[in-house]
Amino acid sequence: MTTVIVGAGAIGLSCGYELARRGESVVVVDKGRLGRACSEGNAGWITPSISEPVPAPGLVSTSLKWMLSKDSPLYIAPSAVPGLARWLFRFWRHCNRADFLAGFHATSELNRLTLPLFDELAADGFPIELHRRGLLFTFLDRKKSEGVRANFSVLAEYGYRMPEPLDGDALRALEPVLSDAVAAGFLVEQEYHVRPETLSQAYAERIRALGGEVREEVEVLGPARDNGRVAGIETSAGSIPAKRILIAAGAWSGRVAERFGVRLPVTAGKGYSFTVSAPPSFSRPLYLGEVKVGSTPFEGAYRFAGTMELSGVNERMDRRRIDGIRRVIGRYFREPVADGASREWVGMRPMTPDGLPMLGQVAGRENLFVATGHAMLGITLAPATGRVMSELMTGKAPSAPIAPFAPGRFNW
């Protein structure tokens, strides 16, 4: 019998690959094209060092202020507030230090697998555009740089050294494209980045090479039942028998789960990016601190990505968000970097109220599993998620603790 995975983004494909390499029969289905949703236009950062939950101490008052500006790093659409009220209330309740630190440590434990697993993919010949150049934090304000750098003190137990502070001249020695307004920052040398489109495509190719299937433009309608037991899924292309079902449909996971009689508190945190098809003028990913925008160099292209928009599950592009990114990045660069032809993108990051993924078996459903809610960490956590979910689903002890990510923790 087959394991059916609903969702052909980085998370679903990584789970499919890990199951297939263990000899499991795998079918991955997606209502769209593989890797085209949130896994396509993101920054591609592989950053265990900045894997903290989105709900953080002080974010309640800040987010209320940010609601007034579409240029803000976090924008909550007023029109969406009534429909999101219950979710937002839970989200804001998690904006405290105790929950933040608990979530940060839980994610950091899972992230112990991240860089070794990306190295494993590269060693196994995955055709991915993977770079190991670190992540350069840049700030216009020295005090803000020091405040962010201080957060790295809690990462020592996870193998990170405290990064050395750098002044503007030292930053420009590393990346001459930075402007004189950039005053301080630091380099986190361990971090990687990947062209995310290549990761999804490589996973799909390897699943097929291992005998699995990836079926695009197939919508899940609900469970297929045999004597009352869920024995597969009904889709727009017919029934697929299955011994296990994994919902890994990103921001759509809640809607898919409802068709199985399960409620999941997943909404969309929309992110925006634009990609310029030209050789990049910087050599490593840059975090533009005050505006919370990431810039990523690829082979023959570079991308700017940022913002978090809570406006419900929809794929509408608000051009003012793209324009806002273009507007705020100018102070960080010596020369224009947002000019020229570019491809614009909006994607729905799957968000839970506590900012942590949901990984595990659905309570009371012996063959229904969930892997979603990775927020801005879908690329970072994809290989680790695939590893622990495949272990769990085949009766093995997961390589990292996953109890903090139990799907039933919200009592939704």
Side-chain angles (χ1 to χ4, degrees):
M1 290 287 285
T2 298
T3 297
V4 173
I5 298 171
V6 183
I11 298 299
L13 291 168
S14 69
C15 293
Y17 164 68
E18 287 285 348
L19 286 164
R21 67 186 287 268
R22 285 169 168 74
E24 297 290 313
S25 174
V26 172
V27 176
V28 183
V29 300
D30 197 288
K31 71 182 187 67
R33 306 288 291 180
L34 75 88
R36 289 288 180 88
C38 196
S39 297
E40 182 182 27
N42 63 75
W45 289 5
I46 303 165
T47 52
S49 68
I50 50 173
S51 292
E52 66 270 13
V54 175
L59 189 59
V60 175
S61 58
T62 304
S63 61
L64 292 174
K65 178 183 67 176
W66 279 343
M67 281 180 66
L68 303 176
S69 172
K70 283 185 172 289
D71 284 350
S72 63
L74 172 63
Y75 174 66
I76 305 173
S79 61
V81 169
L84 290 174
R86 186 182 182 196
W87 190 95
L88 285 170
F89 176 72
R90 294 284 189 94
F91 178 86
W92 282 328
R93 283 189 63 184
H94 283 96
C95 292
N96 63 79
R97 183 166 180 79
D99 286 340
F100 177 82
L101 287 176
F104 175 78
H105 285 292
T107 305
S108 295
E109 288 293 337
L110 184 57
N111 261 323
R112 289 185 189 274
L113 303 176
T114 292
L115 298 184
L117 286 178
F118 271 101
D119 289 338
E120 185 178 301
L121 293 179
D124 196 33
F126 264 59
I128 56 177
E129 184 186 325
L130 180 67
H131 304 277
R132 301 175 176 88
R133 299 176 185 165
L135 173 62
L136 190 63
F137 286 71
T138 66
F139 294 85
L140 309 177
D141 185 300
R142 191 177 304 276
K143 289 184 178 179
K144 289 183 179 178
S145 176
E146 281 303 305
V148 173
R149 193 177 73 91
N151 295 334
F152 280 75
S153 61
V154 300
L155 285 164
E157 63 184 284
Y158 302 105
Y160 278 81
R161 301 183 302 276
M162 190 70 177
E164 294 295 324
L166 300 174
D167 62 16
D169 289 340
L171 291 167
R172 283 181 286 278
L174 292 173
E175 296 292 348
V177 71
L178 293 172
S179 75
D180 292 339
V182 174
F186 50 91
L187 174 64
V188 183
E189 298 179 6
Q190 294 99 314
E191 310 294 53
Y192 298 174
H193 72 280
V194 66
R195 185 84 183 240
E197 304 96 312
T198 69
L199 181 63
S200 296
Q201 190 62 44
Y203 271 136
E205 290 175 2
R206 192 57 60 93
I207 289 169
R208 289 167 172 150
L210 291 168
E213 298 181 57
V214 179
R215 303 182 187 177
E216 302 173 89
E217 299 182 332
V218 173
E219 185 166 3
V220 174
L221 306 177
R225 297 188 180 275
D226 181 11
N227 294 324
R229 179 182 180 275
V230 174
I233 63 171
E234 298 287 353
T235 78
S236 57
S239 298
I240 305 176
K243 65 177 177 182
R244 308 184 201 91
I245 300 161
L246 171 63
I247 298 173
W252 297 101
S253 294
R255 296 187 181 182
V256 173
E258 285 178 359
R259 296 167 189 171
F260 291 82
V262 175
R263 300 183 67 185
L264 298 177
V266 182
T267 192
K270 288 164 65 176
Y272 290 81
S273 76
F274 64 90
T275 304
V276 180
S277 296
S281 56
F282 46 96
S283 64
R284 56 176 58 80
L286 306 174
Y287 179 69
L288 313 183
E290 286 83 0
V291 297
K292 300 184 184 301
V293 169
S295 56
T296 312
F298 299 123
E299 294 175 3
Y302 55 95
R303 177 173 296 163
F304 289 90
T307 83
M308 173 68 73
E309 176 189 316
L310 296 173
S311 60
V313 179
N314 66 80
E315 296 176 298
R316 294 189 298 271
M317 176 177 283
D318 186 341
R319 282 205 50 80
R320 290 171 293 186
R321 302 292 283 166
I322 292 282
D323 293 342
I325 294 175
R326 293 182 184 275
R327 189 161 47 247
V328 299
I329 64 177
R331 290 191 65 195
Y332 292 83
F333 294 96
R334 187 175 300 281
E335 58 192 46
V337 291
D339 294 348
S342 63
R343 180 170 59 87
E344 298 174 346
W345 171 88
V346 59
M348 296 190 296
R349 309 180 186 102
M351 300 284 296
T352 64
D354 63 2
L356 302 181
M358 289 187 286
L359 308 176
Q361 184 176 354
V362 176
R365 307 297 179 93
E366 61 176 312
N367 63 343
L368 185 62
F369 296 81
V370 173
T372 190
H374 291 73
M376 294 179 287
L377 299 176
I379 297 299
T380 293
L381 289 175
T385 296
R387 180 61 54 90
V388 298
M389 289 302 299
S390 66
E391 292 167 339
L392 176 70
M393 295 170 71
T394 56
K396 299 177 176 61
S399 298
I402 62 171
F405 310 115
R409 67 187 184 271
F410 296 105
N411 191 26
W412 197 247

